[in-house]
Amino acid sequence: SADIVYSKHNIEHLDFHQVGLALGEFYRVLKPTGFLICRCPDLARIAERLATVDLEKTLGVASMDDGTRFEVALIDMIFGARSEIADGNDFMRHRTGFTSETLTRHLKHAGFEGVSIHRESRLMELRCTARKVEQGNMFRRVVREIVTADRSRA
């Protein structure tokens, strides 16, 4: 069992029918006091930006774990990294998407409690925490320890 499951820009690469299965597995492998951290594109924010920004205009550069860097535009946030897909990495294709409301609904359906979603406007990203159970969850203790450690380094 795990204390924490961290998923950064993974669930949008699943087919819609696989999302519930994946979130259910995240829930299953967590200890009762564990929690999930999940990040994915915010389709509602992306849709807002589409009204004012060209779909293919480069908005920034993203880096992958292997050091690969690629330009990112709204079209990449919606459908997946074009350059990676063109190079044959079909997993980079986005097969579903989320708003804060739909992600919350999926997480609660998988059994999570204490779902909290922050909409990161600049990155057009949803940043979510979800606790397996509220009572006795270690999330707040971990956050306090991180904040304390950051303050002691300052």
Side-chain angles (χ1 to χ4, degrees), residues 57-130:
K57 178 184 177 195
T58 299
L59 301 175
V61 177
S63 298
M64 294 180 51
D65 290 339
D66 66 2
T68 304
R69 296 170 58 82
F70 54 90
E71 293 181 343
V72 177
L74 289 174
I75 194 169
D76 301 299
M77 294 177 189
I78 298 167
F79 298 110
R82 293 170 290 165
S83 60
E84 290 294 309
I85 295 166
D87 286 344
N89 187 354
D90 197 54
F91 183 73
M92 292 301 288
R93 188 176 312 278
H94 291 181
R95 291 174 167 81
T96 194
F98 303 91
T99 64
S100 58
E101 292 81 12
T102 61
L103 184 55
T104 297
R105 187 168 49 249
H106 283 283
L107 289 163
K108 288 185 175 181
H109 188 261
F112 284 97
E113 298 178 10
V115 175
S116 174
I117 297 183
H118 169 71
R119 294 182 72 201
E120 171 52 60
S121 293
R122 188 180 61 80
L123 297 175
M124 291 173 270
E125 176 181 82
L126 298 174
R127 294 184 176 182
C128 163
T129 58

Side-chain angles (χ1 to χ4, degrees), residues 4 6 29-31 35 38 41 50 68 72 81 95 103 130 136 146 154:
I4 302 169
Y6 182 69
V29 301
L30 282 171
K31 291 179 180 175
F35 60 93
C38 182
L50 276 172
T68 304
V72 177
R95 291 174 167 81
L103 184 55
I146 292 170

Side-chain angles (χ1 to χ4, degrees), residues 2 10 23 25-26 37 43 58 94 97-98 109 114 117 136:
N10 293 303
L23 295 177
E25 285 300 297
F26 292 169
I37 298 172
L43 283 185
T58 299
H94 291 181
F98 303 91
H109 188 261
I117 297 183

